[in-house]
Amino acid sequence: LEIAAGEGRLVGEDGREAYYSQTRLCPVCEISLPELEPRGFSFNSPYGACPFCNGLGHRTVTDEWGEVELTEDLCEACLGARLKPESLAVRVGGKSIAELSGLPVSRLAETVPGFAFTAAQEIVASRIVKEIRTRLAVMGELGLSYLHLNRTTASLSGGEAQRVRLAAQVGARLRG
């Protein structure tokens, strides 16, 4: 790998090839992925938001006065998922973050414990999974188990919005 600039292909005795890379470059589509970090999975961050719809999930139009309005049409790039393709390509349990956030809280709470990780992945994942399970449990206790995490704030009723804010505060385990 050092001689080959971080990339190499090994051919086994049976003729099967295996590709290895230190550059996070896909040999098929030749897309180089950035280092994974939390902000890459937030449509509120320029690091994670779909560059075509700016994380809105819908196409936008500019009216005669220069004001931007959302249309009913989904963004052609992210299909409403609001994230960059690189973020949507990451899978946990065979599902992307968009697919997981499209599940109701109750179903997601059932799905997360079934994730299987290697020993090395478990070191990082165990704390994250524990935090996710705690927050999903709080949402369930507050009567929000039917909500999907990909719902827009504007689509929530006043009571739902209050309970979501309460769940965030309880889940953060604030003191004092």
Coordinates of all heavy atoms in Angstrom, one line a residue, residues 2 7-9 18 21 24 43 67-68 74 78 87 89 103-104 115 122 124-125 132 135 137-138 143 147 173 176:
E2 N 2.0 1.2 0.7 CA 2.9 2.4 0.7 C 3.4 2.6 -0.7 O 3.5 3.8 -1.1 CB 4.0 2.1 1.7 CG 4.9 3.3 2.0 CD 5.9 3.1 3.1 OE1 5.5 2.7 4.2 OE2 7.1 3.2 2.8
E7 N -3.3 2.3 -2.4 CA -4.3 1.4 -3.0 C -3.7 0.1 -3.5 O -2.5 0.2 -3.9 CB -5.0 2.1 -4.2 CG -5.7 3.4 -3.8 CD -6.4 4.0 -5.0 OE1 -6.7 3.3 -6.0 OE2 -6.6 5.2 -5.0
G8 N -4.4 -1.0 -3.5 CA -3.8 -2.2 -4.0 C -4.9 -3.2 -4.2 O -6.0 -3.2 -3.6
R9 N -4.6 -4.1 -5.1 CA -5.5 -5.2 -5.5 C -4.8 -6.5 -5.3 O -3.7 -6.7 -5.9 CB -6.0 -5.0 -6.9 CG -7.1 -6.0 -7.3 CD -7.6 -5.7 -8.7 NE -7.9 -4.3 -9.0 CZ -9.1 -3.7 -8.9 NH1 -10.1 -4.4 -8.5 NH2 -9.3 -2.5 -9.2
A18 N -9.3 -8.9 -4.5 CA -9.8 -8.1 -3.4 C -9.1 -6.8 -3.5 O -7.9 -6.7 -3.7 CB -9.4 -8.8 -2.0
S21 N -7.8 -0.1 0.1 CA -7.5 1.3 -0.1 C -7.4 2.0 1.3 O -8.3 1.7 2.1 CB -8.5 2.0 -1.0 OG -8.3 3.4 -1.0
R24 N -10.2 5.7 1.1 CA -11.7 5.7 1.2 C -12.2 6.0 -0.2 O -13.2 6.7 -0.4 CB -12.2 6.6 2.2 CG -11.8 6.3 3.6 CD -12.4 7.2 4.7 NE -12.1 8.6 4.5 CZ -11.0 9.2 4.9 NH1 -10.0 8.5 5.5 NH2 -10.7 10.5 4.7
F43 N -28.8 17.3 8.2 CA -29.2 18.1 7.1 C -29.2 19.6 7.5 O -29.4 20.5 6.7 CB -30.6 17.7 6.5 CG -31.7 17.7 7.5 CD1 -32.3 18.8 8.0 CD2 -32.1 16.4 8.0 CE1 -33.4 18.7 8.9 CE2 -33.1 16.3 9.0 CZ -33.7 17.5 9.4
E67 N -37.6 35.8 -3.6 CA -37.9 35.0 -2.5 C -37.9 33.5 -2.9 O -38.5 33.2 -3.9 CB -39.2 35.4 -1.8 CG -39.3 36.9 -1.5 CD -39.8 37.1 -0.1 OE1 -40.3 36.2 0.5 OE2 -39.8 38.3 0.3
V68 N -37.3 32.7 -2.0 CA -37.3 31.3 -2.3 C -38.5 30.6 -1.7 O -38.8 30.8 -0.5 CB -36.0 30.7 -1.8 CG1 -35.9 29.2 -2.0 CG2 -34.8 31.3 -2.5
L74 N -40.2 16.6 -4.7 CA -39.0 16.2 -3.9 C -37.8 16.5 -4.7 O -37.8 16.6 -5.9 CB -39.0 14.6 -3.7 CG -40.1 14.1 -2.7 CD1 -40.0 12.6 -2.6 CD2 -40.0 14.8 -1.3
C78 N -31.7 13.9 -3.7 CA -31.8 13.1 -2.4 C -33.1 12.5 -2.2 O -33.3 11.7 -1.3 CB -31.5 14.0 -1.2 SG -32.7 15.3 -0.9
S87 N -23.4 10.6 2.8 CA -24.0 10.3 4.1 C -25.1 9.2 4.0 O -25.2 8.3 4.9 CB -24.7 11.5 4.7 OG -23.7 12.6 4.9
A89 N -25.0 6.8 1.9 CA -24.3 5.6 1.5 C -23.9 4.8 2.8 O -23.7 3.6 2.7 CB -23.1 5.8 0.6
L103 N -38.7 5.3 10.1 CA -39.4 4.3 10.9 C -40.1 5.1 12.1 O -39.5 6.0 12.6 CB -38.5 3.3 11.5 CG -37.8 2.4 10.5 CD1 -36.8 1.4 11.2 CD2 -38.8 1.5 9.7
P104 N -41.3 4.6 12.5 CA -41.8 5.2 13.8 C -40.9 4.9 14.9 O -40.2 3.9 14.9 CB -43.2 4.5 13.9 CG -43.3 3.5 12.8 CD -42.1 3.6 12.0
F115 N -29.0 -4.6 15.9 CA -27.8 -4.3 15.2 C -26.6 -5.2 15.7 O -26.4 -5.3 16.9 CB -27.3 -2.8 15.3 CG -28.3 -1.9 14.6 CD1 -28.3 -0.6 15.1 CD2 -29.1 -2.3 13.6 CE1 -29.2 0.3 14.5 CE2 -29.9 -1.4 12.9 CZ -30.0 -0.1 13.4
E122 N -18.0 -2.5 18.1 CA -18.7 -2.5 19.3 C -18.1 -1.5 20.3 O -18.9 -0.9 21.1 CB -18.8 -3.9 19.9 CG -19.6 -4.0 21.1 CD -21.1 -3.9 20.9 OE1 -21.6 -4.3 19.8 OE2 -21.8 -3.4 21.7
V124 N -17.0 1.4 19.8 CA -17.6 2.8 19.5 C -19.1 2.7 19.6 O -19.8 3.6 20.2 CB -17.1 3.3 18.2 CG1 -17.8 4.6 17.8 CG2 -15.6 3.4 18.1
A125 N -19.7 1.7 19.0 CA -21.2 1.6 18.8 C -21.9 1.4 20.1 O -23.0 1.9 20.3 CB -21.5 0.5 17.9
I132 N -29.0 6.1 22.0 CA -30.2 6.1 21.1 C -31.3 5.4 21.8 O -32.5 5.9 21.8 CB -29.8 5.4 19.8 CG1 -28.9 6.3 19.0 CG2 -31.1 5.1 18.9 CD1 -28.3 5.7 17.7
R135 N -33.0 7.6 24.5 CA -33.8 8.7 23.9 C -35.1 8.2 23.3 O -36.1 8.8 23.4 CB -33.0 9.5 23.0 CG -31.9 10.3 23.7 CD -31.1 11.2 22.8 NE -30.0 11.8 23.6 CZ -29.8 13.2 23.6 NH1 -30.6 13.9 22.9 NH2 -28.9 13.7 24.3
A137 N -36.6 5.5 24.2 CA -37.5 5.1 25.4 C -38.2 6.3 26.0 O -39.4 6.2 26.3 CB -36.6 4.4 26.4
V138 N -37.5 7.4 26.1 CA -38.1 8.6 26.6 C -39.2 9.1 25.7 O -40.3 9.5 26.2 CB -37.0 9.8 26.8 CG1 -37.7 11.1 27.1 CG2 -36.1 9.4 27.9
G143 N -45.4 9.4 25.0 CA -46.5 9.1 24.0 C -46.2 9.5 22.6 O -47.1 9.8 21.8
L147 N -44.5 8.7 16.2 CA -43.8 9.7 15.3 C -42.6 9.1 14.6 O -42.0 8.2 15.0 CB -43.2 10.8 16.1 CG -44.2 11.9 16.7 CD1 -43.4 13.0 17.4 CD2 -45.0 12.5 15.5
R173 N -30.4 14.5 30.0 CA -30.1 14.3 31.4 C -29.5 15.5 32.1 O -28.5 15.5 32.7 CB -29.2 13.1 31.6 CG -29.8 11.8 31.2 CD -28.8 10.6 31.6 NE -28.9 9.6 30.5 CZ -28.1 9.5 29.5 NH1 -27.0 10.3 29.4 NH2 -28.2 8.5 28.7
G176 N -29.9 20.0 38.0 CA -30.0 21.3 38.6 C -31.1 22.2 38.1 O -31.9 21.9 37.3

